[in-house]
Amino acid sequence: MLFFIKPVLIYILAGFAEIAGCYMAWLWLREGRSAWLLLPGAFSLAVFALLLTRIETDSAGRAYAAYGGIYIMASLLWMRCVEGRMPDKWEIAGAAVCLFGAGLILLAPRGG
């Protein structure tokens, strides 16, 4: 079970780094905030990319595919914690399905 904790932690950190970086662009373009927000946003996106390279897998595509489920969960948490909006039952159900899919991708037995 411990082998599963490290990638999940990396994925969660990567998710919040990506969302934070994109949110900076959102604030600039959608809410008229300062373009200077793009600097910490770009740094956050670079951290996101670096974190995903720390996933132990033989394929970048597999790392990105499994990340998708974590990203959805992190997005809903961001919506709740940062934007103050509660996800509805359909968003929660959809995130659960995606997390199940990410788990399949991460934990499926591999071999030849």
Side-chain angles (χ1 to χ4, degrees):
M1 186 65 173
L2 288 177
F3 70 94
F4 187 65
I5 292 173
K6 181 181 175 187
V8 168
L9 182 59
I10 291 171
Y11 278 131
I12 290 170
L13 292 172
F16 284 108
E18 181 181 16
I19 294 165
C22 292
Y23 190 62
M24 297 298 153
W26 175 278
L27 290 174
W28 170 55
L29 291 170
R30 298 284 303 257
E31 297 189 15
R33 304 278 290 276
S34 171
W36 287 105
L37 288 170
L38 295 177
L39 290 176
F43 176 78
S44 188
L45 289 170
V47 169
F48 152 72
L50 290 171
L51 284 167
L52 280 187
T53 66
R54 301 299 175 231
I55 297 296
E56 295 295 328
T57 183
D58 62 349
S59 167
R62 184 175 294 136
Y64 302 153
Y67 167 71
I70 305 296
Y71 177 79
I72 291 168
M73 181 226 26
S75 297
L76 294 179
L77 286 172
W78 182 276
M79 183 172 75
R80 176 67 183 117
C81 296
V82 175
E83 298 181 71
R85 298 193 59 201
M86 186 66 151
D88 65 28
K89 64 182 178 183
W90 298 110
E91 291 164 332
I92 292 168
V97 169
C98 293
L99 284 173
F100 178 77
L104 285 176
I105 292 167
L106 284 175
L107 299 174
R110 305 275 192 268

